[in-house]
Amino acid sequence: MWTQDRVLPGYQACSWQLEDAILADGEPDRPLTATLVRRQEPHHHRAVLYVHGWNDYFFQTHLADYWDRRGFDFYAVDLRRYGRNLRPGLFAGYITNLADYSAELDESYRLIAEDGHDLITLTGHSTGGLITALWAAQSDRPVNGLVLNSPWLDMSGSRLGLRAMRPLLEGAAALRPTSGISTSESELYAQSISSSMNGEWDYDLDFKSNKGFVPRLGWAKAIVAGQHQVAAGLDIGCPVLMMTSARSNLSAAVWDDSLKSVDLVLDVEKLGALAWKLGPVVTLVRIEGGMHDLILSPHPVRDEVFAEMTRWLKVYVR
C-alpha cells in the first residue's frame, strides 16, 4: 500500500517485509524490510527505477525531477538495512550475496508494473550501479536501458594485491562474516557534499555519511564476488550508459575546494577499463569536474551530466 513518505514531503512510499531474508547473528529478531519510493502517482508511459549506493538512500529529488521532465515516472528503492529500512541494532548495509537484492528489485519491478509499466529503465549509483548491472544481466525481466553513475565495478589498488587478497578474505568471511574491517576511509567525501560542511546538499545524516555503516567481512566478500562477475563479462542485453568523473583523488588528506571536482571514492581509470565488460552496447562518458555521485556535482557540471543522459536516452531508450 502506498502512503506518504516519511522522509520526503510530497513523495509516496511502499514498504514490505523480505520474507526469505536472513538476519545476521546479533541482529534484533524483527523482519527486514525494503521500501519503494515514487515521485507521484503514475502519469507517464515510461518508468525508471533508481538504486542508491553504500551508506546512502534516496534523497536526490532533483534527479526525480529530471526523469519526470524526460517523460518517466520515477521510482527509487531503499534496500534492506539502508535508509528508510534502517532500524536500531541492524548491521547497516550488510549483505553476504549481492544476488539477494533480487528480492528488492523483483518486487520493485512488480509494483511498478502494477502502476501500468511493463518495461523499465534502471539506474544505479556506486554500489547500486554494481547491483543493477548484475541484476540486469541475470534477470529475465525486460529492461529498457541501464544508466550507471560511477558504478563500483572494481576495487582500488593493484590487481596483483587484490588477487592475493581474495582467498584470504573468503576464508575470514566464512569464519567471521559480521566482523568489521579496519579501513582508512576518508571523511572528505562527506565534507564535499553535505551542506553542514563544505557541500550544498541537505540530507539525513542517519541515512547517509553515517559512521554506523561498518564494512564487514561478509559484505566485502559479496562485493568482491560481484566485481569478479563483472570482470568475467556480464553480457547485459539492453543499452548501457556508464558515466564517471574524469579523474580521481584517492590520496587527499586535507580539505580544499578542488575536491569538489574529482571522485574521492573510486579509481575512475579502473572503472573505465571495465566498461566494455558490461555488454555489447555500452556508452562511456567521463565528466570533467564530476564528483563521485555525479548528480551531486556543482553547477554547471551536473547540468552536463543530465545533458549527456538526455543525449543517450534520445538515441537508445524507446
Side-chain angles (χ1 to χ4, degrees):
M1 177 184 297
W2 291 98
T3 60
Q4 292 302 307
D5 183 33
R6 63 187 177 88
V7 176
L8 296 175
Y11 281 70
Q12 296 176 323
C14 179
S15 295
W16 66 94
Q17 294 183 10
L18 297 164
E19 300 295 342
D20 296 328
I22 299 174
L23 292 167
D25 290 342
E27 289 189 313
D29 187 13
R30 56 185 302 183
L32 295 176
T33 62
T35 303
L36 186 66
V37 179
R38 68 184 182 188
R39 184 178 181 273
Q40 56 192 356
E41 292 189 8
H43 62 290
H44 292 300
H45 293 298
R46 299 186 290 182
V48 61
L49 173 63
Y50 170 77
V51 182
H52 59 78
W54 164 255
N55 199 351
D56 205 352
Y57 73 111
F58 170 63
F59 69 94
Q60 302 92 333
T61 57
H62 67 296
L63 175 63
D65 293 341
Y66 163 81
W67 283 102
D68 181 70
R69 291 192 299 271
R70 300 281 76 79
F72 289 77
D73 287 329
F74 179 86
Y75 300 81
V77 61
D78 276 8
L79 303 170
R80 70 188 75 179
R81 299 186 178 96
Y82 283 94
R84 294 160 176 84
N85 311 296
L86 194 53
R87 305 287 185 269
L90 292 180
F91 296 160
Y94 182 69
I95 199 80
T96 57
N97 188 338
L98 296 184
D100 290 348
Y101 286 132
S102 63
E104 283 94 316
L105 295 179
D106 287 346
E107 180 63 10
S108 294
Y109 200 113
R110 189 191 70 79
L111 290 168
I112 295 170
E114 282 189 349
D115 278 351
H117 300 291
D118 57 3
L119 186 65
I120 67 169
T121 299
L122 270 177
T123 180
H125 165 57
S126 198
T127 309
L130 175 61
I131 292 166
T132 53
L134 295 172
W135 186 84
Q138 297 164 358
S139 176
D140 58 0
R141 297 172 186 265
V143 176
N144 209 19
L146 175 62
V147 179
L148 301 176
N149 170 2
S150 302
W152 193 13
L153 303 184
D154 201 356
M155 294 285 184
S156 302
S158 73
R159 296 200 181 280
L160 183 62
L162 293 171
R163 192 177 300 119
M165 177 196 74
R166 189 177 180 196
L168 299 176
L169 173 62
E170 290 176 346
L175 295 173
R176 304 185 306 277
T178 60
S179 292
I181 302 173
S182 177
T183 67
S184 56
E185 186 174 339
S186 170
E187 295 183 2
L188 292 175
Y189 179 56
Q191 279 192 48
S192 71
I193 56 177
S194 174
S195 60
S196 66
M197 292 176 272
N198 294 304
E200 63 177 289
W201 302 100
D202 182 21
Y203 54 84
D204 191 327
L205 294 174
D206 286 334
F207 293 165
K208 181 176 179 64
S209 307
N210 184 338
K211 294 181 180 179
F213 277 79
V214 176
R216 299 177 188 273
L217 288 170
W219 169 84
K221 177 185 174 183
I223 296 294
V224 170
Q227 293 172 341
H228 186 71
Q229 289 179 261
V230 174
L234 293 186
D235 197 25
I236 296 171
C238 67
V240 179
L241 171 63
M242 176 170 157
M243 299 183 295
T244 71
S245 175
R247 55 184 53 83
S248 299
N249 184 344
L250 305 182
S251 61
V254 179
W255 172 261
D256 69 74
D257 282 346
S258 70
L259 302 185
K260 290 184 179 182
S261 61
V262 294
D263 191 321
L264 293 170
V265 180
L266 301 179
D267 184 340
V268 298
E269 298 298 329
K270 296 185 75 174
L271 301 187
L274 284 166
W276 70 278
K277 294 281 192 175
L278 295 171
V281 181
V282 180
T283 303
L284 175 62
V285 176
R286 298 179 58 159
I287 302 293
E288 186 66 41
M291 301 175 70
H292 174 56
D293 189 342
L294 293 165
I295 64 164
L296 300 185
S297 301
H299 280 307
V301 176
R302 68 174 175 265
D303 295 333
E304 180 184 349
V305 174
F306 287 133
E308 292 291 350
M309 290 168 60
T310 299
R311 189 197 320 270
W312 180 83
L313 288 169
K314 288 179 178 178
V315 174
Y316 287 109
V317 177
R318 66 182 189 272

